[in-house]
Amino acid sequence: MNTPMEGCSGYNKLSDNPLTMTRRYFLGKAAKGLGTVALGSLLNERLFATQSANGGLPGFPNFAPKAKRVIYLFQSGGPPQMDLFDYKPYLDKVHNQEVPDSVFNGQRLTGMTAGQSSFPVARSLFKFERAGRGGVWLNTEVMPHLAKVMDEVCVIKSMHTEAINHDPAITFFQSGFQIAGRPSIGAWLSYGLGSLNENLPAFVAMTSFNGGQPLYDRLWGAGFLPSKHQGVKFGGGKDPVLYLNNPDGMSSKLRRKTLDHIAAMNEMKFDDHGDPEIETRISQYEMAFRMQTSVPELTDVSDEPESVFDLYGKDARTPGSYANNCLLARRLAERGVRFIQLFHRGWDTHNNLPNQLKRQCAATDQPSAALIADLKQRGMLEDTLVVWGGEFGRTVYNQGEMTANNYGRDHHPRCFSMWMAGGGVKGGMSFGKTDDFSYNIAENPVSVHDLHATILHLLGVDHKRLTFKFQGRHYRLTDVHGKVVKPILV
């Protein structure tokens, strides 16, 4: 289909294409152009916005940020809050008694326990102690390493979410919406703030090699944003980024020559169609070429001193382990990656919770604490925000058979715990309260949208201003919700 001006005298196929027309060319062609621009800028301040030098949007960050980057330790499956951070001694008194109807208050249950005839209270079998100068309660039996860095940590005990099953709940945390298709939080930050480096992506996702609920690439996708903002997945093993290395028989010189020819053909296609995604394709080919050098150097941890492996634990040498991913997260942060997200599965404890919790914490406690300590000793914690948490919590009532040493818990979206450290967050404190059953929020609720708004705020972004027009509507990560949780900020 021809554009309206095509075929007219003086028409230039590239300059007059609406997708590629420059501001200067537009002003030169438009009658009374300056008046039009003035009116347009009053109606929409980003009408003629272009990318800033680092690939982000002009005017972003909106104010001085506390954090430059985020490391998000996502614990997929739903960690049990009352067995980790939300200490409830009252449960010892009512153990094995029925949860009162007044606690349920007509709330829906999952299909896995809705048919139970009995909902007995399951107390936690673990030892809780206060840690740090702030005296924050936590399960020191399975998290002794985290207890040592609690002066840097803020535990939010009053998180709540809308979703009750894994996939929509994880999707909600990633994109602010339960249905797939919207940009992930890392993609939003890449779009708004751009990159801090030239040889690595702005957004990297890593998954531990342990089993559990499935994870999908769309969880770190770009949705309707330009595809260059999607997260790049790093895996364990010989090839951390799939298809990055040259195939057998192809030298770097030949690879460079091939990319030059492909870029020339893409530029010809762009001249014909003016599709911005073609430019994205060209830039991503170039990024991949540079990553052939930067990624092997990044993932080769042999240059780390022995003290680092003592800090992160013996698994830190094993590619694909949570400990190794935490170490790589620090190395990525050092190299200017904007958003780093680790996904660790296995927290879905419907049964055999005590033993599963011990295994999970044995794999995650030391590396998580080590990351905080490592960042602090390098002077990076003050401008690196670390976030830890899953997609929901667990029920106070038992699921399945309960014995003196065993119990299980179902999904629970009404209240659960997460923690944050560094990057402008107050350490050595907890925020929010739940009832005696850790079933309902009693004080200072924090929604997923509130969490997103707070993360963006710490990066200098007003969550109401970071928008993208798609299908006639301006979308944002927090949709029409969200407020910054100011009491936890420095």
Side-chain angles (χ1 to χ4, degrees):
M1 180 180 294
N2 293 336
T3 60
M5 295 178 64
E6 192 162 350
C8 298
S9 175
Y11 172 76
N12 181 297
K13 178 168 61 175
L14 180 60
S15 300
D16 285 313
N17 190 310
L19 290 173
T20 59
M21 186 182 296
T22 65
R23 180 170 18 180
R24 178 173 295 179
Y25 189 82
F26 171 79
L27 293 174
K29 298 285 285 186
K32 300 181 181 178
L34 290 177
T36 304
V37 172
L39 177 61
S41 65
L42 289 173
L43 296 176
N44 182 355
E45 62 183 10
R46 289 172 48 200
L47 182 63
F48 301 108
T50 57
Q51 286 188 318
S52 60
N54 63 354
L57 296 176
F60 283 78
N62 310 131
F63 44 84
K66 294 287 188 180
K68 293 181 179 178
R69 64 196 74 84
V70 177
I71 300 176
Y72 193 151
L73 309 176
F74 194 89
Q75 311 300 315
S76 177
Q81 71 279 4
M82 72 288 291
D83 291 294
L84 292 173
F85 301 104
D86 200 11
Y87 179 45
K88 295 299 177 185
Y90 179 71
L91 300 184
D92 291 331
K93 299 179 181 179
V94 293
H95 177 66
N96 209 24
Q97 298 179 22
E98 291 294 313
V99 177
D101 289 339
S102 59
V103 172
F104 286 122
N105 197 27
Q107 299 162 16
R108 66 172 178 154
L109 308 178
T110 74
M112 291 170 284
T113 54
Q116 287 186 187
S117 58
S118 178
F119 296 91
V121 171
R123 67 181 179 184
S124 177
L125 297 182
F126 296 97
K127 178 183 177 181
F128 277 73
E129 293 180 308
R130 293 184 181 273
R133 292 189 298 272
V136 178
W137 286 103
L138 79 158
N139 179 346
T140 55
E141 187 176 340
V142 296
M143 295 186 296
H145 295 279
L146 188 64
K148 298 175 183 178
V149 296
M150 285 306 291
D151 284 335
E152 312 299 334
V153 173
C154 172
V155 178
I156 303 174
K157 297 182 178 181
S158 52
M159 287 296 308
H160 63 95
T161 185
E162 299 173 6
I164 201 169
N165 291 313
H166 294 289
D167 185 69
I170 296 175
T171 303
F172 189 34
F173 256 97
Q174 288 299 108
S175 66
F177 201 65
Q178 295 186 49
I179 300 174
R182 296 197 183 184
S184 58
I185 180 173
W188 276 113
L189 288 172
S190 172
Y191 166 68
L193 297 177
S195 178
L196 294 169
N197 70 90
E198 294 182 352
N199 299 320
L200 288 167
F203 175 20
V204 169
M206 294 182 282
T207 60
S208 306
F209 55 46
N210 66 320
Q213 291 291 328
L215 297 170
Y216 307 99
D217 285 0
R218 61 172 170 76
L219 294 174
W220 43 89
F224 44 69
L225 293 177
S227 58
K228 68 179 180 181
H229 299 296
Q230 69 186 17
V232 174
K233 182 182 177 182
F234 280 28
K238 181 181 178 181
D239 296 316
V241 180
L242 295 179
Y243 314 117
L244 183 65
N245 292 332
N246 291 330
D248 294 339
M250 175 174 277
S251 65
S252 293
K253 183 177 180 180
L254 179 58
R255 178 73 166 236
R256 178 69 268 170
K257 187 176 181 180
T258 301
L259 289 178
D260 289 341
H261 285 302
I262 293 173
M265 289 188 289
N266 275 324
E267 287 167 358
M268 292 170 60
K269 199 72 172 176
F270 179 75
D271 289 347
D272 286 339
H273 297 277
D275 184 355
E277 279 296 298
I278 298 175
E279 287 190 316
T280 291
R281 192 180 308 147
I282 295 171
S283 66
Q284 294 303 84
Y285 273 130
E286 292 301 316
M287 172 62 79
F289 184 74
R290 295 194 297 272
M291 285 171 61
Q292 287 187 322
T293 301
S294 62
V295 169
E297 183 274 333
L298 165 77
T299 56
D300 181 7
V301 298
S302 62
D303 61 343
E304 295 284 352
E306 194 64 30
S307 58
V308 167
F309 296 107
D310 292 339
L311 182 65
Y312 283 87
K314 59 183 177 61
D315 289 340
R317 298 183 188 273
T318 305
S321 68
Y322 181 80
N324 182 256
N325 286 346
C326 282
L327 177 54
L328 290 183
R330 188 265 288 165
R331 291 169 68 91
L332 285 163
E334 285 181 309
R335 288 157 177 78
V337 175
R338 177 77 69 182
F339 195 87
I340 306 150
Q341 190 157 23
L342 278 59
F343 290 86
H344 186 78
R345 295 171 290 180
W347 293 93
D348 193 23
T349 47
H350 290 277
N351 51 56
N352 196 24
L353 186 147
N355 288 331
Q356 287 194 57
L357 190 64
K358 290 176 184 177
R359 287 196 296 268
Q360 286 295 99
C361 290
T364 61
D365 172 51
Q366 183 174 354
S368 298
L371 179 61
I372 295 174
D374 200 6
L375 290 169
K376 185 176 181 180
Q377 71 184 5
R378 295 169 189 272
M380 295 176 61
L381 186 61
E382 62 183 21
D383 60 6
T384 302
L385 176 63
V386 182
V387 182
W388 186 102
E391 67 269 34
F392 41 54
R394 315 301 298 192
T395 57
V396 68
Y397 62 79
N398 175 68
Q399 179 179 2
E401 182 183 2
M402 183 166 61
T403 67
N405 299 310
N406 189 37
Y407 52 89
R409 301 191 190 279
D410 198 6
H411 309 166
H412 189 60
R414 301 292 298 181
C415 66
F416 56 102
S417 299
M418 297 182 66
W419 60 255
M420 305 171 76
V425 173
K426 293 178 182 177
M429 66 169 289
S430 61
F431 181 78
K433 293 182 180 179
T434 61
D435 62 18
D436 288 337
F437 291 86
S438 190
Y439 202 90
N440 297 291
I441 294 173
E443 185 178 301
N444 295 324
V446 178
S447 71
V448 176
H449 295 302
D450 296 338
L451 179 73
H452 287 163
T454 304
I455 292 173
L456 266 58
H457 177 84
L458 290 168
L459 288 158
V461 176
D462 180 346
H463 70 102
K464 296 180 181 179
R465 294 177 61 184
L466 182 56
T467 65
F468 187 87
K469 191 173 183 179
F470 176 67
Q471 294 182 341
R473 176 190 165 188
H474 288 276
Y475 287 86
R476 70 184 203 219
L477 174 63
T478 53
D479 198 43
V480 296
H481 311 282
K483 62 181 184 299
V484 177
V485 187
K486 293 184 178 179
I488 70 171
L489 306 184
V490 175

